[in-house]
Amino acid sequence: MYNTIVLIHLAAAILWMGGMGFMLLALRPAVLALDGPVRAKLMLTVWRRFFTVVGISIVVLLLTGGHLFVTDMQVGAATPGKHIMAGVGVLMFLLFGHIVFGGYRKYARALAAGDTAAAQRAAASIHALVVINFGLGWLAIAAIKLL
């Protein structure tokens, strides 16, 4: 059962990290070639779908990670790397909340109001925060594998 929960946890983490990698390294550079209104509508749709997937992944990560951490604590297997991963994970969850409830909502409202400048500022903020979260994800992976 423990290994199954680890697998589910890893699948949720891979989905989130892979999505961030795709958005940062493939999607964003490609959509910069599109006209502003087309790019804005596409990113609104992509982010809405991706953030839904990440929200589900976070619930799975919290449930499986919590279970694994408690189990490891009970048997004395909670290594420093697991503590760091858990802390970084919580930070990533909070940052994701800021991306969605701050940046994405501002972006959607600005587009609805026709405020292109505000939408561009919100998109830049989303990008910067996703870059940070992507880096934090790699830190969590390194912590669990190296410590």
Side-chain angles (χ1 to χ4, degrees), residues 38-57:
V38 173
R39 179 176 59 233
K41 185 176 179 181
L42 174 65
M43 290 312 299
L44 183 68
T45 303
V46 168
W47 281 333
R48 182 180 65 241
R49 290 174 183 218
F50 178 63
F51 294 156
T52 300
V53 169
V54 173
I56 293 166
S57 293

